[in-house]
Amino acid sequence: MEDTILVTGSDSKFFLMSCLLYQSIKLTSLANRFFVLDFGLNENERAFFRHKGILINAPVTASEPGHHNHPYARKAMVQDYVAELQPSSNVIWIDSDIVVSRKFDVALQNLLNEMAKHEIDVAASPELKISDILSQFPHLNFDLFKQALSDRHIPTDADYYNSGFIVFRTRNLLKEWNRLAGSTPFYALFDQNLFNLIIHNGVKALSLPRKIWNFHGSDFRSEEHTSELQSRET
């Protein structure tokens, strides 16, 4: 999978979780394609990932006036971080609080093959509908998101995609994510809302089953998955 890179981002708060992700990646064939973006690590943490050969330092643009330092904003700047790496067709974003299974590399290769066959630009998992996000978090100010949805004629009954795991097959989408981040005041769910503006802007996208590609800890409480896990144990 030489034409693919996998990246996560970490600050000191997520350092240990990103280490767990790295350990799970090492159990697959993708360890030499995995990198950690510096979202605010301390020097000892940087030294650890640097020693592993997987650290990507924060780009100069991250400290320019007008850029936000919050990890959500840094996440939308992936393009600036990976620009120093050898160009690759596929850029995979994985949140640092995720771990992958031993079969992840095989499943990912199959997914990339399918996306290439159908000329799909991006893949991610729908979480809810946009209207659900707007109604379930009344304490958050989504005025800028609502205005952007209106400006782009994106209906609120459209899917709302989780940005925890994203497969990009074009750098143009990363560049647009970066551009929006640089021109938008920071607000709640910043990177994820901007990503949803992009994915609903005429992009050829693939919706991934969330409980396969972006399984949440809360999913363990579901009766369906509890029964499945019990059957595997027996």
Side-chain angles (χ1 to χ4, degrees):
M1 223 176 292
E2 291 301 314
D3 203 26
T4 299
I5 58 172
L6 299 90
V7 297
T8 193
S10 182
D11 58 7
S12 292
K13 179 180 177 180
F14 283 86
F15 172 71
L16 291 178
M17 283 183 278
S18 57
C19 289
L20 291 175
L21 170 59
Y22 176 50
Q23 285 299 115
S24 69
I25 292 284
K26 285 174 64 177
L27 298 177
T28 74
S29 62
L30 299 169
N32 67 336
R33 309 302 302 160
F34 175 74
F35 300 93
V36 177
L37 315 184
D38 181 2
F39 283 2
L41 298 166
N42 64 42
E43 188 48 48
N44 288 336
E45 294 159 349
R46 291 189 195 99
F48 176 83
F49 287 133
R50 190 180 297 116
H51 178 72
K52 301 294 182 182
I54 61 174
L55 177 70
I56 298 183
N57 294 311
V60 174
T61 52
S63 58
E64 290 179 349
H67 279 81
H68 316 293
N69 288 322
H70 194 284
Y72 291 174
R74 294 286 184 95
K75 179 176 173 179
M77 295 175 60
V78 169
Q79 173 58 29
D80 282 354
Y81 278 87
V82 302
E84 67 182 63
L85 299 177
Q86 182 176 350
S88 60
S89 296
N90 310 307
V91 177
I92 318 296
W93 169 269
I94 309 179
D95 273 1
S96 57
D97 59 352
I98 292 177
V99 293
V100 303
S101 76
R102 292 174 181 264
K103 298 179 180 179
F104 173 65
D105 49 358
V106 176
L108 181 60
Q109 184 62 72
N110 291 338
L111 173 60
L112 291 172
N113 291 343
E114 178 184 358
M115 292 177 70
K117 178 180 178 181
H118 298 286
E119 299 182 338
I120 294 170
D121 298 319
V122 63
S125 299
E127 182 86 20
L128 300 164
K129 297 296 183 182
I130 292 175
S131 58
D132 296 324
I133 292 293
L134 297 177
S135 63
Q136 290 183 16
F137 300 95
H139 60 292
L140 299 180
N141 187 340
F142 286 141
D143 288 348
L144 289 175
F145 186 42
K146 292 176 183 177
Q147 185 61 54
L149 292 170
S150 176
D151 292 344
R152 291 166 172 76
H153 306 291
I154 300 173
T156 58
D157 61 354
D159 285 333
Y160 184 83
Y161 287 83
N162 188 295
S163 63
F165 177 81
I166 311 173
V167 180
F168 293 95
R169 288 193 62 252
T170 169
R171 293 288 183 100
N172 288 336
L173 296 183
L174 290 175
K175 292 175 182 177
E176 177 62 10
W177 205 12
N178 193 348
R179 186 193 68 77
L180 283 177
S183 61
T184 304
F186 186 81
Y187 65 97
L189 302 183
F190 186 73
D191 66 286
Q192 194 159 258
N193 286 348
L194 296 185
F195 174 68
N196 275 273
L197 297 179
I198 294 169
I199 203 170
H200 288 299
N201 192 30
V203 173
K204 193 167 184 181
L206 176 65
S207 294
L208 301 176
R210 190 189 59 74
K211 291 188 177 182
I212 294 176
W213 290 98
N214 201 338
F215 192 85
H216 296 351
S218 59
D219 292 325
F220 282 109
R221 293 196 294 268
S222 87
E223 182 178 341
E224 173 188 353
H225 285 281
T226 299
S227 300
E228 182 181 351
L229 289 170
Q230 289 173 341
S231 66
R232 289 180 181 179
E233 289 175 356
T234 58

